[in-house]
Amino acid sequence: MKDIYILGIESSCDETSASIVKNGTEEISTVISSQIDIHKDFGGVVPEIASRHHVKNITMVLESCLEQAHMTMDQIDAIAITYGPGLIGSLLIGLEAAKTLSFVYNKPLIPVHHIAGHIYANSLVKELTFPLLAVVVSGGHTELIEMTDHYKFHKIGGTLDDAIGECYDKVARVIGLEYPGGPKIDKLAAIGQDTYKLPIPLQDDSYNFSFSGLKSAVINLSHNLEQRGEEIRKEDLATSFQKVAVESIISKVRKAIVEKDIKNVIVAGGVAANNGLRNAMKDLTDELGVELSIPPMKYCTDNGTMIAAAGYYAYLDGRIADLNLNSKSQDVLK
Ligand code: KG4
Ligand code: ZN
């Protein structure tokens, strides 16, 4: 069979990235231009600033990606683009670039849902096997997706309020850590003690999550300590918070594996980089005899590689868009 080369473009948040992937599994080249340092001063991503930087970076990112691969656009079979969900102004920059390339070089345009990208980051490591449960944990998402085959997504649960990464970042801000706070809490959690009592959220019969109550509990705890003139022990709070946050994910994943007869669990999204979650997932899947796959750190946060990998399977599934394709800040994975 002829090899298929997909150019993947990602610009949904604060990373401008392009990548070329062969047959959905082999990374040929990837360029990521991150804006983390720019948004740090504001404590989070500022949409207007993000879009302006995407405009500034996109051409250079695309050119370097082709250059590093020693390829030209003529050798590319199709262009995969994150059409949503994400920041609308940021999404539009990547989409316009993808449409322009598609039009000029007469290449098929493949719309990729950002979460499908995070899930397919795993296919760069290991072949996906089904029935599969994708645990999608990022700054914008906390979702459980059941997959019966390639590109057959069924969302069985999600967050009712904040996403887990958003909760990590907000808790980090309360204890004075810079954005993005998730990795910093993760580091502190490894050296602290579980001394603060925090509530485990939403222990109900659904596959849903809730993180706003946990976030409020941390804010209240911090205010109470402040009023009493006591210092917050950051590393202990990080340990206590991480324990509860991870447990709330694990209890729902356990329920889904058992009830849906899942054979393969994958963890996707920025928070898949979390050591507490990685260890707990390993223990759970070992106990239940289920296969676990978590992408290496470099594929966990946003990148074009995962979009190109998902784009390959979308291409095989015949998901080709025309030039009327529009960006969507919200969209259900289907
Ligand atoms: O997937 P991603 O790059 O962007 C979104 O699509 O949201 O995820 C970014 C999120 C941020 O909230 C960041 O704090 C979190 O992932 N994150 C972590 C860790 N590494 C990144 N959260 C907890 N522990 C980590 N080690
Ligand atoms: Zn993401």
Side-chain angles (χ1 to χ4, degrees), residues 36-219:
I36 283 188
D37 286 340
I38 295 159
H39 298 283
K40 235 181 213 164
D41 295 344
F42 304 97
V45 177
V46 184
E48 261 301 302
I49 297 178
S51 342
R52 273 187 243 155
H53 279 87
H54 286 304
V55 172
K56 213 169 106 194
N57 295 335
I58 188 82
T59 308
M60 179 270 294
V61 165
L62 284 162
E63 280 174 358
S64 331
C65 175
L66 285 160
E67 214 172 280
Q68 283 181 23
H70 304 292
M71 290 177 76
T72 63
M73 277 307 296
D74 296 331
Q75 293 164 282
I76 299 293
D77 292 283
I79 301 158
I81 175 67
T82 309
Y83 72 92
L87 302 171
I88 197 74
S90 295
L91 288 162
L92 276 168
I93 312 303
L95 180 67
E96 286 310 314
K99 279 187 188 177
T100 308
L101 290 174
S102 162
F103 177 71
V104 171
Y105 294 98
N106 195 23
K107 304 286 176 186
L109 183 66
I110 308 166
V112 173
H113 190 286
H114 184 75
I115 297 301
H118 277 303
I119 293 172
Y120 275 96
N122 280 278
S123 70
L124 292 147
V125 189
K126 215 194 281 183
E127 202 181 321
L128 304 189
T129 54
F130 307 98
L132 175 154
L133 179 74
V135 182
V136 182
V137 278
S138 76
H141 299 269
T142 313
E143 292 177 11
L144 294 185
I145 314 266
E146 184 189 7
M147 285 177 76
T148 46
D149 203 345
H150 280 296
Y151 257 82
K152 299 275 178 294
F153 307 107
H154 175 52
K155 179 176 164 183
I156 58 170
T159 181
L160 303 178
D161 39 58
D162 293 355
I164 183 168
E166 188 183 354
C167 185
Y168 261 91
D169 294 339
K170 285 184 180 157
V171 165
R173 186 140 43 136
V174 171
I175 58 173
L177 304 173
E178 261 185 352
Y179 174 82
K184 297 175 185 87
I185 293 202
D186 192 15
K187 261 198 193 134
L188 284 180
I191 54 169
Q193 306 280 332
D194 175 23
T195 56
Y196 292 109
K197 284 283 145 287
L198 295 168
I200 297 190
L202 207 68
Q203 291 297 91
D204 67 354
D205 209 30
S206 74
Y207 296 115
N208 291 328
F209 306 97
S210 165
F211 288 101
S212 71
L214 177 58
K215 174 189 71 187
S216 302
V218 172
I219 294 171

Side-chain angles (χ1 to χ4, degrees), residues 20-38:
I20 295 167
V21 169
K22 180 178 162 186
N23 300 330
T25 53
E26 195 184 320
E27 180 182 3
I28 305 294
S29 74
T30 298
V31 177
I32 305 175
S33 167
S34 172
Q35 305 176 13
I36 283 188
D37 286 340
I38 295 159

